[in-house]
Amino acid sequence: MEKKPITLGIALLAIMLAGSGSLAYFTSEKRTHNIITSGGIDIEVIQKVENNDGKLVTVPEITGELMPGVSINGSVHVENQGKSQAWIRLKADVAIEDQEGNLLPETISKNIPVVSFANDKDWKEGKDGFWYYQQPVDPKEETNSLFESLNMNPKVGNDYQNSVVNLNVHAQAVQTANNGKSAEEAIGWPLIEEEAK
């Protein structure tokens, strides 16, 4: 008689399992398709030089005769041509060549620069050699100029006679959205060739 309750229990368990497998659940499924576009960052370096009428005009490069103690009035701005607000930084490298194309020192005694520029208060020099613009730049707006003139030190010697001063400007921009409270705090700056090595 003991086998009957065990057999009966197994039979009931089998019936219960079979019944639970036949339960139906109501379900529903929906799909959506979302298109999310990102903003764009695009910048342009704008160089201006003072013409004979004393007006600043946009030029592809700043040119002029730079002699000891003389300044060339000019400016470098960066325009945000993208769709998103941007942090902007730039590097202004000076290279001086003599008449034969040989590089001349960029500094004279005690690291005094041969060529200098007075920067605008809206730019701050970083430890990495870049100048950081202190405000975000809205689309279709531009920065204040990094400088208003290039100045040649009056103490340079004859080695700099008939020399050519090359001012190479390298500007970069990154988005401001979710990217720090200042240009110095921002991340995601592109590497330039010297940094990549």
Side-chain angles (χ1 to χ4, degrees):
M1 287 253 325
E2 283 183 30
K3 286 189 178 185
K4 258 187 178 176
I6 293 175
T7 308
L8 187 58
I10 292 174
L12 283 174
L13 182 61
I15 291 171
M16 287 174 45
L17 288 174
S20 70
S22 65
L23 290 177
Y25 293 97
F26 294 112
T27 63
S28 178
E29 183 176 326
K30 299 267 185 199
R31 292 180 186 228
T32 62
H33 178 72
N34 297 297
I35 298 174
I36 301 170
T37 58
S38 61
I41 301 292
D42 186 23
I43 57 172
E44 183 71 30
V45 175
I46 300 169
Q47 301 178 117
K48 297 179 181 180
V49 69
E50 191 174 282
N51 67 10
N52 294 336
D53 298 333
K55 296 180 182 177
L56 287 176
V57 293
T58 302
V59 293
E61 59 184 36
I62 297 173
T63 59
E65 280 194 31
L66 194 57
M67 297 181 286
V70 173
S71 298
I72 295 177
N73 292 332
S75 64
V76 173
H77 305 257
V78 181
E79 182 182 2
N80 180 357
Q81 296 183 337
K83 297 177 181 178
S84 301
Q85 193 179 63
W87 295 118
I88 293 178
R89 71 178 185 173
L90 65 79
K91 188 177 258 191
D93 293 321
V94 174
I96 307 167
E97 298 175 357
D98 65 14
Q99 295 176 35
E100 286 81 39
N102 301 311
L103 288 176
L104 294 169
E106 297 169 23
T107 58
I108 52 180
S109 64
K110 298 181 184 176
N111 291 329
I112 298 170
V114 171
V115 176
S116 62
F117 53 86
N119 70 302
D120 184 277
K121 64 179 173 33
D122 291 326
W123 291 90
K124 181 179 175 186
E125 188 172 16
K127 294 178 183 175
D128 56 3
F130 277 94
W131 289 88
Y132 291 84
Y133 196 62
Q134 297 300 294
Q135 290 90 32
V137 180
D138 289 325
K140 308 305 177 209
E141 297 294 323
E142 66 181 46
T143 65
N144 289 342
S145 180
L146 175 63
F147 59 84
E148 298 300 326
S149 65
L150 292 172
N151 314 300
M152 185 171 246
N153 193 307
K155 296 181 181 177
V156 297
N158 285 333
D159 292 342
Y160 292 88
Q161 212 174 84
N162 297 314
S163 63
V164 175
V165 176
N166 295 296
L167 176 67
N168 300 308
V169 177
H170 183 91
Q172 297 180 334
V174 294
Q175 71 182 34
T176 59
N178 304 311
N179 197 7
K181 295 181 181 179
S182 70
E184 294 97 331
E185 289 180 17
I187 59 173
W189 295 106
L191 291 177
I192 59 173
E193 291 175 20
E194 298 103 43
E195 295 173 323
K197 291 180 184 176

